Amino acid sequence: MSNTNQPQVLAIIPARGGSKGIELKNLRRIHGKSLLGRAIESAQAAASVSDVVVSTDHPGIKAEALSYGARVVDRPAEIAGDTATSESVLVHVLEREPALPQATVFIQCTSPFIDPTDLDAAVNRVLRGELDVSFAAVADHGFHWSLDSAGLAQAVGHDKSVRPRRQDREPRFRETGAFYAMDSAGFLAANHRFFGRVAIQEVPAEHGIDIDTEADLLLASLQEEQHPDPVLVDAVVTDFDGVHTPDTAYVDQFGTETVRVSRSDGMGVSRLRAAGVKFLILSKETNPVVAARAAKLKVEVAHGIENKAEYLARWLADESINPARVAYVGNDVNDLGAMALVGWPVAVADAQPRVAQAARLNLSRNGGHGAVREVAELVLAARSDAEAAAKSFPSFTH
């Protein structure tokens, strides 16, 4: 964010608790971060933005916003319903600011991929006085159609008898809803986000996704992070079935179950232990095979656990481990509670869709096929890089 000598630019993120399509949508996770958290981080990373405010009526959203370092304005009920306009929320926040910022950026959580560089480009054109409004949009070279009163197709913006090549067609632009940079005084006078001189800030097509449905969340979760963070953790916690195994079991005529595990995973766990990384297997299964595998790996195990989140929270407290420096590897919906507690929620490649959405890291290997080894190598590589950096830039004491 900018320093105090630059023009003041306030980013406002409306995030109410009600959502008809997806319950508490603003708290749903993509790559392990909530939609709200992603929006806040994008705003904070923009050099032009001075401050970030979240307007909400929900205590859970308020807590999430504060955890990311944003300020919060409590939204009254009269502008928290389905019929309230976004403009009314922006006005409510601006009227409570001690001083009117030169520019206001309206950011929506439903756009999970906002490049701070695009934000800065839009804001700076407003600050320079070139524009009153600049908003995010993606180029669209498609042929557009609508239906007439008889339900028949009619061409929109083109002659249906002429079919020029894509490169010969002028693009149309689709508003993404991700962000709107506006002159603050002009906005308050117009009471609308589009006024005066309006221009498009074109953003990449892959940043144009808008989250309205569960399918949108799944699609967003499949987009890879451009710059994955190093997996710097002090402990790795894993589910058993579906992580150490392919989520299948062999059952004989006596009802005895056996499972298949990966020797590569075993080597990964051994390397983690040697590096001083704590390791816990946390499983709902009561089958003694879980304990037997843990004994073979020489790691701690808790099985037959119905509430994994409750057990994990207690274990982290007892071990005095910072949850932010813990990886939890899961594959199914009963792992979601535990994944939400840690800084590194991880999903195996064949995890359930909701688990993949909640993960900060999605592995390339399936459960039982080297997923645990993949996590181990990522953790070890991050620790090695951190140690090398510490040796290159030693701290000095005075």
Side-chain angles (χ1 to χ4, degrees):
M1 292 192 291
S2 69
N3 62 50
T4 55
N5 295 323
Q6 293 178 319
Q8 293 302 294
V9 177
L10 179 65
I12 303 176
I13 306 174
R16 67 188 184 93
S19 176
K20 290 185 176 179
I22 304 174
E23 185 178 358
L24 281 179
K25 176 168 60 178
N26 295 312
L27 294 181
R28 292 294 294 273
R29 292 172 176 258
I30 294 175
H31 298 310
K33 294 180 182 178
S34 65
L35 293 177
L36 175 62
R38 297 177 73 87
I40 293 171
E41 286 191 340
S42 291
Q44 290 172 332
S48 61
V49 173
S50 314
D51 199 5
V52 183
V53 171
V54 173
S55 168
T56 188
D57 61 330
H58 191 276
I61 293 175
K62 180 176 183 176
E64 182 80 348
L66 293 172
S67 74
Y68 276 89
R71 288 195 291 121
V72 173
V73 170
D74 294 317
R75 191 187 309 185
E78 56 266 25
I79 57 170
D82 293 339
T83 59
T85 65
S86 297
E87 279 80 357
S88 67
V89 176
L90 302 180
V91 170
H92 178 260
V93 172
L94 288 173
E95 288 181 340
R96 281 152 183 78
E97 288 297 296
L100 185 67
Q102 183 173 339
T104 297
V105 188
F106 166 31
I107 295 177
Q108 300 200 91
C109 300
T110 49
S111 295
F113 303 107
I114 298 177
D115 188 336
T117 303
D118 291 329
L119 272 180
D120 280 330
V123 170
N124 287 330
R125 293 194 71 187
V126 173
L127 293 178
R128 290 194 298 265
E130 298 173 13
L131 302 171
D132 295 299
V133 179
S134 181
F135 68 96
V138 294
D140 184 349
H141 289 83
F143 291 107
H144 293 257
W145 296 79
S146 65
L147 301 179
D148 64 17
S149 58
L152 299 177
Q154 55 185 5
V156 175
H158 71 279
D159 183 342
K160 64 183 178 184
S161 64
V162 179
R163 309 295 291 179
R165 299 177 304 167
R166 180 184 186 280
Q167 58 266 39
D168 295 331
R169 299 196 301 270
E170 287 295 321
R172 302 168 77 90
F173 288 89
R174 178 177 62 81
E175 185 181 340
T176 71
F179 61 82
Y180 306 79
M182 305 170 288
D183 175 79
S184 299
F187 166 72
L188 288 177
N191 200 32
H192 196 275
R193 76 189 76 172
F194 294 113
F195 59 92
R197 298 158 299 169
V198 179
I200 285 168
Q201 176 61 46
E202 186 176 350
V203 301
E206 60 269 25
H207 293 179
I209 188 170
D210 184 56
I211 306 296
D212 281 322
T213 66
E214 292 285 351
D216 295 332
L217 274 168
L218 177 58
L219 179 63
S221 73
L222 296 176
Q223 289 196 31
E224 293 185 5
E225 295 281 56
Q226 295 301 310
H227 303 288
D229 297 327
V231 188
L232 278 170
V233 298
D234 301 316
V236 175
V237 182
T238 72
D239 184 20
F240 186 72
D241 285 334
V243 175
H244 289 263
T245 78
D247 207 18
T248 57
Y250 304 99
V251 184
D252 66 17
Q253 67 269 34
F254 303 108
T256 303
E257 291 188 6
T258 58
V259 296
R260 172 188 173 279
V261 295
S262 164
R263 290 191 182 278
S264 175
D265 284 349
M267 177 57 73
V269 173
S270 176
R271 282 167 49 76
L272 285 175
R273 288 179 50 249
V277 179
K278 280 189 164 295
F279 198 98
L280 168 69
I281 295 176
L282 181 54
S283 175
K284 183 180 178 181
E285 279 295 314
T286 57
N287 194 315
V289 71
V290 182
R293 180 58 176 166
K296 175 76 172 179
L297 297 175
K298 299 179 182 178
V299 297
E300 190 174 348
V301 62
H303 61 114
I305 306 299
E306 288 294 329
N307 191 327
K308 294 182 180 181
E310 183 180 277
Y311 185 94
L312 179 57
R314 189 168 58 248
W315 184 78
L316 293 174
D318 291 344
E319 297 291 334
S320 299
I321 300 174
N322 180 358
R325 292 181 60 89
V326 176
Y328 181 97
V329 189
N331 76 303
D332 215 329
V333 293
N334 64 339
D335 294 310
L336 289 171
M339 291 173 70
L341 294 179
V342 301
W344 277 96
V346 180
V348 296
D350 55 343
Q352 290 294 310
R354 282 188 62 192
V355 177
Q357 292 165 16
R360 182 175 177 181
L361 170 66
N362 285 277
L363 301 173
S364 63
R365 299 182 186 180
N366 292 347
H369 292 274
V372 176
R373 179 63 177 270
E374 184 177 350
V375 172
E377 295 304 326
L378 290 170
V379 171
L380 293 168
R383 291 169 74 88
S384 177
D385 289 345
E387 290 171 1
K391 290 177 181 178
S392 299
F393 301 96
S395 59
F396 297 94
T397 58
H398 300 280

